[in-house]
Amino acid sequence: MQGKFITLEGTEGAGKSTNLAFIETWLQARGIDVVVTREPGGTAIGEKIRGLLLDKSHSEMHADTELLLMFAARAQHIQEKILPALAEGKWVVSDRFTDASYAYQGAARGMGFERIAPIEAWVQQGFQPHKTFIFDLPIEIGMARVASRGGQTDRFEQERHDFFEKVRGAYLQRAELAPARYAVLDASQSLEAVQAQIIANLQALLEA
Ligand code: Z5A
């Protein structure tokens, strides 16, 4: 039986990485074989592309280059890792996927959704996640969490507040257009409350 593909999306500091580990543990406890991964990245080639994309010395990177690199990494990720795992009956949980391209490159960089859709169709051939969790919260809360975590900033984290407002708005817009695929979670709540929302959705997915 085919496994299921779950993606986690949201603005920075929303709790995706934290809850990726939670979802992995929750599914494993129910006997499911889980592969956790991330974008950009997830494969040896993809992780090299991630390095190019996040390197803040690459301030000259054109938005088209950025988008095509995201999809180059994604093509490798789908073919090398995601599809084979699903075919073996494993569930795959990815920290970000194509919704991020719509939100960051389409909305925040101003490229428009219509330039992304044909590339998505070419790379994915109709392949889509079974469920996408959108960790939604006010930008300031996410930024404060990242600041208190400390560490280096990357090329995206140097963007300004209004850039991330556009990202947030685009995620919510996409969720409204296809409500069956998305679960919008209130990520400003406590970790326990966010995880209760996740469990409710995972249970529904298990029973589907
Ligand atoms: N990008 C793109 O532009 N186009 C694309 O197609 C793709 C990606 C695929 C890399 O992503 C960048 O690539 C990303 C978009 C772009 N840039 N940005 N910004 P990334 O996922 O690697 O980077 P990120 O989004 O910046 O990750 P992040 O800042 O680590 O966010 P997070 O994973 O959602 O947060 P977290 O690490 O789970 O949590 C942050 C802190 O908050 C941490 O200390 C937690 O313990 C704490 N936390 C988490 N949840 C809670 C709750 N509920 N209460 C209190 N504290 C909490």
Side-chain angles (χ1 to χ4, degrees):
M1 202 166 69
Q2 278 275 119
K4 291 209 181 347
F5 181 39
I6 300 171
T7 59
L8 313 187
E9 300 283 0
T11 46
E12 60 167 343
K16 298 177 305 300
S17 310
T18 307
N19 288 299
L20 185 75
F22 172 77
I23 292 170
E24 179 183 26
T25 308
W26 193 92
L27 290 173
Q28 281 171 342
R30 278 143 194 90
I32 294 170
D33 211 345
V34 188
V35 174
V36 295
T37 187
R38 68 174 181 180
E39 286 209 355
T43 64
I45 291 171
E47 290 296 325
K48 285 193 174 165
I49 296 174
R50 180 185 178 91
L52 292 173
L53 282 161
L54 299 193
D55 187 339
K56 56 186 173 192
S57 74
H58 294 159
S59 57
E60 76 280 24
M61 189 178 290
H62 192 277
D64 289 357
T65 311
E66 184 177 277
L67 178 70
L68 292 169
L69 284 173
M70 292 292 177
F71 272 99
R74 182 163 301 131
Q76 188 65 29
H77 195 202
I78 292 170
Q79 298 302 333
E80 180 186 332
K81 191 167 186 179
I82 301 174
L83 292 180
L86 294 175
E88 287 171 11
K90 295 173 182 163
W91 286 39
V92 179
V93 189
S94 183
D95 192 340
R96 297 194 185 279
F97 192 62
T98 305
D99 287 295
S101 299
Y102 279 95
Y104 283 80
Q105 284 69 50
R109 296 265 190 248
M111 298 179 82
F113 287 2
E114 66 284 356
R115 286 197 64 198
I116 297 173
I119 306 173
E120 177 189 31
W122 194 77
V123 169
Q124 294 176 218
Q125 308 275 313
F127 175 67
Q128 291 291 344
H130 294 91
K131 196 83 200 172
T132 296
F133 291 114
I134 295 180
F135 291 80
D136 179 61
L137 82 177
I139 302 304
E140 314 77 58
I141 298 180
M143 283 181 160
R145 285 183 189 169
V146 170
S148 67
R149 184 182 60 188
Q152 294 276 338
T153 58
D154 63 39
R155 198 169 58 83
F156 288 94
E157 287 163 351
Q158 293 184 313
E159 293 293 343
R160 295 214 310 257
H161 189 280
D162 63 332
F163 178 93
F164 294 107
E165 287 292 359
K166 288 180 193 160
V167 171
R168 183 184 185 196
Y171 277 132
L172 296 176
Q173 189 186 343
R174 285 182 62 73
E176 257 179 45
L177 291 175
R181 172 155 78 84
Y182 296 91
V184 179
L185 310 178
D186 179 354
S188 67
Q189 295 182 6
S190 70
L191 201 49
E192 294 69 28
V194 173
Q195 288 172 351
Q197 299 174 62
I198 293 172
I199 291 171
N201 280 282
L202 289 178
Q203 253 152 0
L205 204 54
L206 269 180
E207 288 156 17

